[in-house]
């Protein structure tokens, strides 16, 4: 059907004559409600208007968005079609695997397999495979890349096949940078011009930190791999129209305070306010003083403060950044003209129309103080001046997010060891990993050059970093290397051991590599609480490295400072960091640069030509990538012996008839959890433990232990990922009565086995399983396998106090039923032990099942209770009816051609 809004289709004129193209003009609707809408909601509105066909997107959906002030509190459903999809290799491989499988399924059902192609642009950046195997070396980059290609040659070849086998897919080769920094500096369009049609850039990505692009005024957020695949195939995303928190920024940051200090403060404020499922939109006079890189740092950590996105509307600062990063004057003129014409541009020289927000927060930037976050969660902020006291409290506190329960008499324990023939010792809180890493900070020249200035001052004063601390620097793009070299400061970072190790995600996602055996033994044998300090965004226990129980997020300059101090057990205001070459005590204040010093170096060292030179060559690859040979067929030839790429069983028994809704009968409880179980606990991530079911599988397939690689690199093999689900060594399962680790109880026999082995026993016996959980179940990243894995283990339902937004959606997408306890109730208050068997009766017809419906859960112990089924939209019910989102897409594509 013709778009009913074609009446507002206008031509955007160029200032010098001619035209940029056509666009849907929001002011032409003459609706005063639109002027009050948050800028982020206007992007949803424009998408709905442009895509309105009265089938996938209807006029009533447009009205819901225009009436946002009244409709958003009611949790109404809207469709959204993003302009593009962003993938990284860890999530990109399973996405391409699924697309290849879907082509096979289309063939099986008699459809045209070539229909399975991305219908929107897909940008895939290979950035998650670099391990810090070699550090503190001039040759680290080349050495790590060679090892990366040795381990991942098969995966890389598969992705290269995907770039040739599927239309509309750009693959950025390994060694280019971190996906979100590449997105910010290069891929982000801000405004699209597709065949003469102008519209705002918007993106969904299979990494939760896709939100970083919100700092550029591009609406973007993380979704599961399965949602992203549906978006690629032209399906609208079903979402609840979000509330928007207006976050007003005033003033400017004090001297010496970094963007990282600001984002950790904002994260804590927003966590306290409660923003899960909401947009956060930043505004106010303080925006004038906030660089684009600082905005991107704040936007990046949206998942850590719980918001769908943290949005910064486009203004003069955005345009300056586009110019800095090498976008053409023509492109920038088009972007500004379009956004001004559609009243989506913020001009602080004009009177501001007051926007309406769901709730309001305010921060005076001058009140932000230096801080870090940890030791186990990103929102547990600690002011730097309180760090020593906080550390000692953590040693004292019982085991938890802020506690290690180290007895008083053991807190001063010293572990002596020999480091390559040199006597050495470790204490609780000693730093063993110090990493300048992660898209959160490596895209920000202020903090990167700030770290380099700290290194320069430290070197000139004669300070050194202990040789057993694993130091590393992983820039987010080649631009960082260029400006560090231009500034003449890289040599000081090298002198302290912060050599460049590679371009991609490293320590922040668990790609820390091994620490020295002598250090590892000293930690393990003496039960030391060793520390990692990193400029990342995630520090959940077990994520950074299995042997660092304390993990602190800090700005890059603070990472250098803590590496020099060698411990987190220090009061930087009163205690010296070390002793200089003249025997004089050196304090934190002696090595910390002023904001003016940093600004001067940024001004002289960060130049537009650096961005142009870096990105002109980005798709040309490198010799190792270019030498990979791949087949030209459009159907993938599966290798049954491969331990990297394996055909999953999702479509094994697919027919044209949907299976319909299903309940759960006499299910056993596979796992019984408390609060804050993250997707890092659920999904396979990090290294593959030598005694795990995944390791056993690899050994059975003649893979040597040194070639195990990480779980992330093997996401294309469902056999390994199923075995790695719930394999986190810090898993706390109430069925184990206090024991920590990746095991559970097989209820019928009482045996304690790995979660995978117990799940397979139930599955072989034809017995359903469920999971009991507390609040915030599924927070964190590693999204799609946190749903795919449980499905492959035979989990039919998860009953929790609350769910993280994307994880709940992904469970639905894989056919798992998410249920919420009623307010004030949970497994504990209901007296559930997890030893019971559970029956969940759902209506047999999808027409009888409604979003948010209450159902009764009965147990064989006689207890029954009411839960809310968290199918939040009619579309989610359709997915469940079909057995999953991908099955739904395949059947719909075939039906549309019949």
């Amino acid at each position: 059907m013709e778009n009913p809004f074609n009446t507002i289709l206008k031509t955007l004129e160029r200032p010098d004559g001619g035209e940029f193209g056509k666009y849907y003009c929001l002011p032409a609707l003459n609706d005063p409600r639109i002027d009050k809408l948050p800028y982020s909601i206007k992007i949803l509105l424009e998408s709905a208007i442009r895509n309105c066909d009265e089938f996938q997107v209807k006029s009533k959906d447009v009205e819901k968005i225009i009436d946002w002030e009244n409709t958003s509190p009611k949790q109404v459903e809207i469709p959204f079609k993003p302009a593009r999809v962003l993938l990284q290799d860890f999530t990109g491989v399973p996405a391409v695997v699924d697309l290849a499988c879907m082509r096979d399924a289309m063939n099986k059902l008699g459809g045209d397999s070539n229909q399975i192609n991305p219908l929107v642009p897909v940008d895939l950046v290979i950035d998650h495979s670099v391990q810090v195997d070699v550090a503190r070396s001039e040759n680290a980059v080349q050495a790590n890349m060679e090892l990366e290609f040795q381990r991942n040659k098969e995966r890389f070849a598969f992705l290269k096949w995907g770039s040739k086998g599927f239309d509309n897919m750009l693959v950025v080769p390994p060694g280019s940078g971190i996906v979100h920094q590449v997105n910010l500096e290069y891929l982000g369009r801000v405004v699209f011009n597709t065949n003469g049609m102008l519209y705002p850039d918007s993106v969904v990505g299979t990494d939760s930190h896709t939100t970083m692009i919100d700092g550029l005024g591009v609406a973007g957020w993380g979704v599961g791999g399965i949602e992203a695949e549906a978006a690629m195939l032209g399906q609208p995303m079903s979402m609840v129209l979000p509330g928007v928190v207006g976050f007003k920024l005033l003033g400017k940051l004090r001297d010496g305070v970094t963007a990282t200090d600001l984002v950790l403060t904002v994260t804590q404020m927003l966590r306290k306010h409660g923003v899960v499922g909401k947009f956060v939109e930043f505004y106010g006079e303080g925006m004038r003083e906030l660089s684009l890189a600082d905005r991107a740092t704040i936007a990046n950590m949206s998942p850590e403060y719980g918001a769908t996105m943290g949005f910064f509307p486009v203004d003069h600062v955005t345009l300056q950044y586009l110019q800095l990063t090498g976008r053409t004057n023509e492109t920038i003129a088009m972007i500004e003209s379009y956004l001004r014409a559609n009243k989506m541009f913020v001009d602080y020289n004009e009177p501001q129309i007051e926007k309406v927000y769901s709730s309001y927060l305010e921060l005076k930037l001058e009140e932000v103080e230096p801080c870090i976050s940890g030791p186990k969660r990103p929102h547990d902020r600690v002011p730097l001046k309180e760090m020593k006291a906080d550390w000692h409290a953590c040693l004292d506190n019982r085991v938890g997010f802020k506690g290690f329960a180290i007895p008083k008499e053991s807190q001063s324990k010293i572990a002596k060891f020999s480091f390559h023939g040199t006597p050495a010792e470790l204490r609780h809180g000693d730093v063993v990993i110090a990493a300048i890493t992660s898209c959160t900070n490596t895209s920000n020249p202020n903090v990167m050059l700030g770290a380099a200035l700290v290194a320069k001052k430290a070197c000139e004063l004669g300070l050194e970093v202990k040789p057993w601390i694993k130091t590393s620097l992983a820039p987010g793009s080649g631009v960082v290397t260029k400006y560090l070299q231009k500034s003449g400061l890289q040599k000081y970072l090298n002198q302290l051991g912060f050599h460049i190790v590679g371009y991609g995600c490293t320590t922040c996602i668990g790609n820390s590599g091994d620490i020295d055996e002598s250090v590892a033994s000293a930690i393990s044998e003496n039960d030391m609480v060793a520390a990692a300090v990193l400029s990342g965004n995630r520090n959940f226990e077990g994520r950074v490295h299995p042997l660092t129980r304390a993990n602190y997020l800090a700005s890059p300059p603070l990472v250098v400072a803590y590496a020099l101090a060698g411990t987190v057990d220090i009061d930087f205001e009163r205690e010296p960091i070390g002793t200089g070459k003249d025997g004089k005590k050196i304090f934190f204040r002696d090595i910390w640069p002023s904001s003016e010093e940093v600004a001067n170096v940024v001004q002289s060292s960060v130049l537009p030509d650096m961005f142009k030179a870096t990105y002109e060559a980005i798709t040309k690859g490198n010799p190792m990538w270019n030498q990979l040979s791949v087949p030209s067929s459009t159907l993938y030839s599966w290798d049954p012996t491969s331990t990297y790429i394996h055909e999953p069983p999702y479509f094994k028994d697919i027919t044209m008839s949907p299976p319909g809704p299903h309940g759960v009968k006499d299910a056993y409880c596979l796992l019984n959890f408390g609060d804050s179980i993250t997707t890092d606990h659920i999904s396979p991530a990090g290294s593959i433990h030598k005694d795990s079911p995944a390791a056993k599988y690899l050994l059975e397939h003649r893979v040597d232990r040194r070639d195990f690689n990480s779980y992330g690199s093997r996401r294309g093999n469902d056999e390994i990922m199923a075995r790695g689900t719930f394999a986190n060594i810090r898993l706390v399962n109430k069925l184990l009565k206090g024991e920590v680790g990746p095991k559970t109880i097989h209820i019928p026999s009482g045996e304690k086995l790995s979660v995978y082995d117990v799940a397979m026993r139930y599955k072989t016996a034809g017995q359903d399983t469920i999971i009991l959980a507390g609040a915030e179940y599924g927070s964190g990243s590693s999204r799609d396998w946190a749903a795919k894995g449980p499905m492959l283990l035979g989990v039919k339902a998860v009953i929790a106090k609350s769910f993280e937004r994307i994880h709940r959606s992904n469970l639905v997408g894989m056919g798992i039923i998410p249920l919420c306890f009623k307010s004030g109730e949970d497994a504990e208050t209901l007296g559930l032990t997890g030893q019971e068997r559970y029956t969940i009766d759902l209506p047999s017809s999808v027409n009888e099942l409604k979003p948010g419906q209450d159902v009764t859960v009965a147990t064989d112990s006689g207890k029954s209770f009411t839960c809310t089924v968290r199918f939040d939209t009619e579309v989610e019910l359709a997915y469940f009816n079909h057995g999953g989102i991908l099955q739904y897409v395949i059947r719909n594509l075939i039906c549309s051609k019949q």
Side-chain angles (χ1 to χ4, degrees):
M1 181 178 173
E2 184 178 317
N3 190 323
F5 292 96
N6 281 350
T7 53
I8 62 165
L9 198 57
K10 305 291 183 187
T11 299
L12 185 66
E13 307 287 345
R14 292 174 183 269
D16 57 352
E19 57 185 61
F20 286 117
K22 304 281 187 186
Y23 74 106
Y24 285 93
C25 178
L26 302 186
L29 287 171
N30 293 317
D31 194 319
R33 293 174 296 176
I34 295 175
D35 290 336
K36 291 185 175 183
L37 288 178
Y39 291 95
S40 49
I41 298 299
K42 283 187 178 182
I43 293 175
L44 302 184
L45 174 62
E46 190 282 337
S47 174
I49 287 172
R50 178 168 35 89
N51 290 295
C52 187
D53 60 359
E54 299 297 3
F55 175 61
Q56 289 186 330
V57 183
K58 300 180 179 180
S59 299
K60 66 179 183 181
D61 297 316
V62 173
E63 172 57 27
K64 285 178 190 173
I65 301 172
I66 292 175
D67 199 33
W68 170 85
E69 188 177 352
N70 297 311
T71 54
S72 63
K74 299 175 184 174
Q75 296 285 293
V76 299
E77 171 196 356
I78 60 160
F80 175 61
K81 285 193 168 187
R84 61 188 171 100
V85 172
L86 184 70
L87 308 173
Q88 37 88 339
D89 54 314
F90 274 14
T91 51
V93 167
V96 178
V97 164
D98 290 352
L99 289 174
C101 275
M102 290 174 77
R103 278 194 173 169
D104 292 342
M106 285 288 279
N107 260 359
K108 180 180 175 182
L109 294 174
D112 178 7
S113 63
N114 288 325
Q115 277 186 271
I116 305 293
N117 259 319
L119 296 180
V120 299
V122 175
D123 300 321
L124 195 161
V125 182
I126 302 176
D127 73 336
H128 270 49
S129 306
V130 57
Q131 293 263 5
V132 188
D133 292 295
V134 179
R136 302 187 77 140
S137 163
E138 296 284 356
N139 301 316
V141 174
Q142 184 63 23
N144 286 325
M145 183 170 277
E146 286 175 4
L147 287 166
E148 182 181 0
F149 267 82
Q150 284 173 27
R151 294 187 183 114
N152 300 290
K153 184 177 179 182
E154 192 179 340
R155 293 172 58 249
F156 291 170
F158 177 67
L159 290 174
K160 194 171 182 181
W161 168 82
S163 70
K164 296 178 183 298
F166 294 102
D167 298 335
N168 226 3
M169 184 180 286
L170 169 70
V171 173
V172 177
S176 303
I178 301 176
V179 57
H180 306 306
Q181 186 160 344
V182 174
N183 193 23
L184 188 74
E185 294 174 352
Y186 174 65
L187 297 172
R189 280 74 153 181
V190 186
V191 172
F192 264 90
N193 186 342
T194 303
N195 302 321
M197 177 63 74
L198 306 178
Y199 52 96
D201 186 5
S202 58
V203 59
V204 293
T206 52
D207 187 285
S208 54
H209 294 104
T210 299
T211 54
M212 187 170 190
I213 200 68
D214 301 336
L216 194 68
V218 174
W221 60 87
V223 297
I226 37 193
E227 282 182 300
E229 289 161 35
M232 285 182 221
L233 295 165
Q235 297 299 304
M237 285 176 48
S238 179
M239 62 184 288
V240 172
L241 186 61
V244 183
V245 177
F247 199 123
K248 192 172 189 177
L249 297 173
L250 300 168
K252 62 183 293 186
L253 294 172
R254 286 186 286 130
D255 187 52
V257 175
T258 68
T260 319
D261 301 322
L262 171 59
V263 72
L264 295 178
T265 304
V266 167
T267 298
Q268 188 182 47
M269 287 178 68
L270 287 169
R271 268 280 172 187
K272 186 177 179 182
H273 187 74
V275 292
V276 172
K278 297 175 184 175
F279 290 175
V280 176
E281 187 165 293
F282 294 89
Y283 71 105
E285 286 299 308
M287 294 278 279
R288 290 175 182 262
E289 302 293 336
L290 212 56
S291 73
L292 197 292
D294 289 357
R295 297 175 183 192
T297 300
I298 295 170
N300 177 280
M301 284 190 73
S302 295
E304 283 66 46
Y305 45 81
T308 302
M309 65 175 183
F311 188 74
F312 290 81
V314 176
D315 60 12
H316 68 288
V317 174
T318 320
L319 300 181
Q320 288 166 5
Y321 181 80
L322 292 172
Q323 197 161 33
L324 171 68
T325 50
R327 271 75 163 197
T328 66
N329 290 336
E330 165 85 1
T331 299
I332 296 169
M334 178 198 73
I335 290 168
E336 183 175 4
S337 296
Y338 170 81
L339 294 174
R340 283 186 181 276
N342 246 343
K343 295 191 176 179
M344 298 167 87
F345 185 87
V346 180
D347 190 334
Y348 294 105
N349 296 319
E350 296 176 356
Q352 298 297 302
I353 295 174
E354 192 70 29
K355 302 295 179 187
V356 174
Y357 294 111
S358 309
S359 61
Y360 297 82
L361 279 175
E362 183 176 295
L363 174 64
K364 293 175 181 173
L365 295 175
E366 61 268 21
E367 293 177 358
V368 176
E369 58 183 333
C371 57
I372 62 177
S373 278
K376 301 180 186 182
R377 294 191 301 187
H379 52 283
D380 289 333
R381 186 179 69 91
V382 186
L384 210 56
K385 62 189 179 187
E386 297 172 17
M387 180 56 197
K388 189 178 180 75
D390 192 83
W391 172 252
H392 283 275
C394 286
L395 290 179
D396 289 336
N397 294 344
R398 62 189 180 91
V399 173
F401 296 122
K402 293 289 288 186
F404 299 105
I406 303 298
K408 283 283 188 190
E409 62 273 15
S410 301
Q411 290 182 12
S412 56
K413 182 179 183 178
I414 299 174
K416 295 184 182 293
F417 66 103
S418 174
F419 181 78
H420 301 284
T422 303
E425 50 188 46
L426 277 179
R427 294 173 172 80
H428 291 299
D430 276 6
V431 175
V432 296
I433 290 176
I436 299 174
T437 179
S438 171
C439 50
T440 310
N441 287 289
T442 62
S443 60
N444 193 322
N446 291 309
V447 291
M448 295 300 283
L449 287 165
L453 284 170
V454 169
K456 178 177 185 286
K457 290 171 183 279
C459 290
E460 289 172 348
L461 290 167
L463 294 180
E464 296 177 346
V465 174
K466 293 183 177 72
W468 55 83
I469 297 176
K470 188 165 188 177
T471 44
S472 62
L473 165 59
S477 79
V479 176
V480 179
T481 303
K482 285 183 171 65
Y483 65 63
L484 284 173
Q485 289 172 342
K486 167 82 174 166
S487 69
L489 296 173
Q490 179 66 55
K491 63 184 179 184
Y492 299 110
L493 287 164
N494 289 353
Q495 194 173 321
L496 296 183
F498 287 95
H499 296 84
I500 294 175
V501 294
Y503 298 89
C505 286
T506 56
T507 308
C508 190
I509 59 162
N511 287 357
S512 312
D514 294 331
I515 54 178
D516 190 87
E517 283 186 21
S518 63
V519 180
S521 298
I523 295 169
S524 301
E525 292 167 10
N526 296 278
D527 195 28
M528 304 303 290
V529 182
V533 182
L534 63 151
S535 63
N537 45 43
R538 294 272 163 85
N539 56 343
F540 302 126
E541 196 170 7
R543 179 184 178 95
V544 172
H545 192 282
L547 294 177
T548 57
R549 278 193 271 169
N551 302 281
Y552 286 94
L553 305 181
S555 66
L558 273 177
V559 170
V560 177
Y562 274 108
L564 290 162
T567 181
V568 297
D569 185 7
I570 184 171
D571 181 340
F572 276 144
E573 286 191 8
R574 295 180 175 84
E575 297 176 271
I577 278 181
T579 305
K581 55 192 172 188
D582 57 0
K584 183 182 172 185
K585 290 180 178 179
I586 307 298
F587 287 83
F588 178 80
R589 56 184 171 270
D590 300 323
I591 61 169
W592 200 255
S594 68
S595 299
E596 186 180 3
E597 285 178 88
V598 174
N600 289 339
V601 178
V602 170
Q603 185 71 29
S604 61
S605 305
V606 184
L607 306 172
D609 286 348
M610 296 176 177
F611 293 89
K612 287 177 184 172
T614 298
Y615 288 111
E616 277 171 2
I618 199 165
T619 54
K620 294 177 184 174
N622 53 65
M624 286 182 275
W625 173 262
N626 295 335
Q627 286 164 16
L628 292 173
S629 61
V630 297
S632 57
S633 59
T634 57
L635 291 175
Y636 188 70
S637 300
W638 303 97
D639 177 1
T641 66
S642 172
T643 56
Y644 276 103
I645 308 297
H646 183 265
E647 184 177 12
Y650 310 141
F651 310 110
K652 188 177 176 184
D653 301 313
I654 190 169
T655 64
M656 277 304 295
S657 300
H662 57 83
V664 177
K665 178 99 173 135
D666 289 332
Y668 284 101
C669 177
L670 181 64
L671 294 150
N672 184 2
F673 292 130
D675 294 343
S676 297
I677 290 295
T678 72
T679 47
D680 284 332
H681 291 112
I682 307 165
S683 181
S687 57
I688 297 172
H689 194 274
K690 61 184 176 64
D691 298 322
S692 66
K696 183 181 175 185
Y697 173 88
L698 288 168
L699 290 170
E700 287 171 354
H701 285 74
R702 299 182 180 178
V703 177
D704 194 273
R705 187 174 291 168
R706 69 172 178 270
D707 296 323
F708 278 5
N709 213 334
S710 65
Y711 279 114
S713 67
R714 293 189 181 272
R715 281 190 187 182
N717 187 310
D718 58 286
E719 295 281 3
I720 290 168
M721 298 304 281
R723 286 164 171 80
T725 301
F726 298 113
N728 189 297
I729 60 171
R730 304 293 180 195
L731 202 65
V732 179
N733 171 17
K734 293 180 183 179
L735 292 177
L736 295 180
K737 296 182 167 51
E739 185 181 335
V740 176
K743 293 185 183 295
T744 194
I745 302 297
H746 180 247
I747 305 293
S749 67
E751 286 184 76
K752 180 173 69 178
L753 302 163
S754 73
V755 175
Y756 174 79
D757 288 338
V758 170
M760 289 305 102
R761 279 207 190 177
Y762 286 133
K763 205 170 180 183
T764 303
Q767 294 162 334
D768 289 348
T769 55
I770 59 108
I771 290 170
L772 295 175
E776 296 181 338
Y777 182 76
S779 55
S781 60
S782 305
R783 308 279 189 183
D784 54 338
W785 274 108
K788 288 178 177 176
M791 184 276 287
L792 291 171
L793 294 182
V795 173
K796 302 300 182 187
V798 179
I799 310 174
K801 284 178 73 175
S802 63
F803 291 91
E804 191 273 347
R805 177 183 63 89
I806 299 174
H807 184 62
R808 184 206 58 78
S809 172
N810 277 358
L811 290 174
V812 175
M814 294 312 296
I816 295 174
I817 308 166
L819 301 107
C820 276
F821 290 108
K822 284 297 182 182
S823 179
E825 294 183 348
D826 57 22
E828 203 164 291
T829 62
L830 292 167
L832 304 174
T833 64
Q835 300 284 336
E836 308 87 354
R837 298 185 74 170
Y838 296 79
T839 296
I840 305 163
D841 282 324
L842 295 183
S844 57
S845 166
V846 73
N847 297 323
E848 297 173 32
L849 194 55
K850 304 297 179 191
Q853 185 171 324
D854 283 351
V855 297
T856 299
V857 180
T859 69
D860 64 341
S861 67
K863 289 177 183 167
S864 63
F865 53 97
T866 301
C867 283
T868 301
V869 182
R870 288 295 309 280
F871 299 131
D872 288 358
T873 65
E874 295 289 347
V875 173
E876 287 187 344
L877 286 174
Y879 294 159
F880 184 63
N881 183 51
H882 279 261
I885 191 171
L886 300 181
Q887 292 86 341
Y888 169 85
V889 168
I890 288 173
R891 293 189 183 104
N892 271 18
L893 282 172
I894 293 174
C895 289
S896 69
K897 293 295 180 182
Q898 289 177 348

